[in-house]
Amino acid sequence: MSAKIVDGKLVSQVLREKMKLRVEELAKRDIQPGLAVILLGDDAASQVYVRNKVAACQAIGVQSRVYRLAANTSEQKVLEALKLLNNDSEINGILVQLPLPKHIDEDKILEIISPQKDVDGFHKINVGAMVTGHARFYPCTPHGVMKLLEYYGIAIEGRHAVVVGRSNIVGKPMALMLLEKGATVSICNSKTPDLASFTRQADIVVVAVGKPKVLSGDMIKPGATVIDVGINRLPDGSLAGDVDFESVREVAGFLTPVPGGVGPMTITMLLENTIRSSEMV
Ligand code: GUN
């Protein structure tokens, strides 16, 4: 049996249509949600992500401003720009595209962003709020995964979820969000010995390690839901996730493709957080 393909583009479209209505409601109160994006340097993938974020904002009536700064911009300059944006009443959301150049302390940058405008949900105050069940902004990628599971009616409560990856952006918040919905969660990572012994027990597997073919069909339970968060550029220039799509497809019940699975949902949740932030003004 072949897995049902989880269509992130379709779900994004459905959610973004609903968001348009919220933007129209805000317009009646003379409010236009505004997102500021800071991009340092010329990392090719980051350029594409930022371009996609800006286009998505425009399509639903969210104002966006992109600050493209040279890779050698000083940390002080970035901190000053962020302070100005914190006090800018046209801006409801601030996002600094990661990864940052080596000379910049990521912690310092993320901590200066006002928690009220932290639409990535990376500020320690927002992380703490989420951990204790009082989230203001859920990080966009795991939030997008939760929305996919919800849309396809995939049960979480009482199920065993295995998250492969321990990043602050995906793995850790993903595990917490699944836990909050009542899953039994195992958190593995690229160093876990005998990863298959964990993933074979899972009803839901989320893979976010940034390495192709980490999960193959022989490593999962028949009918499991497999969510692929990876985006890897292969030597031939093509894109691939962390999951060996062809072999997993034969065994899984649900499977996200790359591209067109989680990717569009990340941007959709950024829009959600930006609108939410302007609704709270
Ligand atoms: N780089 C990769 N993913 C993300 C994300 O969700 N937010 C930001 N700011 N940078 C990223």
Side-chain angles (χ1 to χ4, degrees):
M1 203 193 73
S2 198
K4 181 164 178 59
I5 300 304
V6 172
D7 188 343
K9 276 198 222 161
L10 169 77
V11 181
S12 285
Q13 211 178 342
V14 171
L15 296 179
R16 290 183 201 190
E17 283 304 317
K18 289 188 195 156
M19 288 178 196
K20 272 188 196 165
L21 303 177
R22 286 160 69 192
V23 173
E24 284 167 20
E25 280 306 307
L26 285 163
K28 290 181 193 159
R29 292 163 50 200
D30 271 337
I31 296 170
Q32 186 185 23
L35 174 71
V37 179
I38 295 190
L39 173 60
L40 273 102
D42 45 20
D43 178 71
S46 292
Q47 305 263 8
V48 175
Y49 294 148
V50 168
R51 214 180 308 137
N52 290 342
K53 287 170 184 175
V54 168
C57 283
Q58 195 170 11
I60 67 160
V62 169
Q63 187 206 145
S64 65
R65 260 193 246 159
V66 183
Y67 296 82
R68 289 189 171 80
L69 307 176
N72 64 359
T73 304
S74 72
E75 185 178 278
Q76 196 53 38
K77 270 255 163 64
V78 183
L79 292 171
E80 277 161 20
L82 287 168
K83 279 190 212 161
L84 287 175
L85 291 169
N86 282 343
N87 293 312
D88 186 330
S89 61
E90 284 184 5
I91 295 298
N92 310 100
I94 303 172
L95 177 150
V96 178
Q97 187 65 32
L98 303 177
L100 291 169
K102 294 270 178 290
H103 68 282
I104 294 193
D105 181 345
E106 184 181 298
D107 254 9
K108 261 198 204 164
I109 298 295
L110 297 182
E111 292 310 296
I112 205 158
I113 296 172
S114 161
Q116 279 78 23
K117 297 188 178 185
D118 169 37
V119 285
D120 259 329
F122 294 164
H123 193 289
K124 289 192 181 81
I125 287 184
N126 286 327
V127 175
M130 182 185 60
V131 173
T132 51
H134 303 93
R136 173 170 21 211
F137 299 116
Y138 286 108
C140 301
T141 299
H143 195 188
V145 172
M146 297 304 282
K147 292 285 178 189
L148 285 177
L149 297 176
E150 186 184 314
Y151 185 89
Y152 283 89
I154 296 163
I156 299 172
E157 193 176 80
R159 301 297 174 96
H160 187 182
V162 172
V163 177
V164 190
R166 55 176 158 148
S167 71
N168 290 335
I169 296 181
V170 185
K172 287 184 209 167
M174 184 79 256
L176 274 164
M177 291 165 78
L178 289 162
L179 181 66
E180 200 177 322
K181 292 286 180 197
T184 300
V185 182
S186 302
I187 312 174
C188 301
N189 61 74
S190 60
K191 307 281 192 294
T192 301
D194 195 9
L195 179 64
S197 68
F198 289 89
T199 55
R200 277 193 202 112
Q201 297 177 41
D203 302 299
I204 301 168
V205 188
V206 182
V207 191
V209 289
K211 233 167 57 180
K213 301 198 180 195
V214 168
L215 190 81
S216 47
D218 58 321
M219 295 170 72
I220 62 165
K221 186 159 86 176
T225 295
V226 176
I227 306 289
D228 189 350
V229 182
I231 304 181
N232 304 291
R233 182 74 63 185
L234 300 182
D236 70 0
S238 63
L239 283 182
D242 291 353
V243 168
D244 178 28
F245 186 86
E246 292 309 327
S247 69
V248 168
R249 182 184 204 168
E250 295 310 312
V251 187
F254 291 90
L255 173 61
T256 62
V258 177
V262 175
M265 294 300 291
T266 296
I267 297 183
T268 303
M269 293 304 109
L270 174 65
L271 299 172
E272 164 68 29
N273 284 350
T274 305
I275 294 169
R276 198 171 135 70
S277 178
S278 60
E279 287 170 340
M280 290 191 290
V281 168

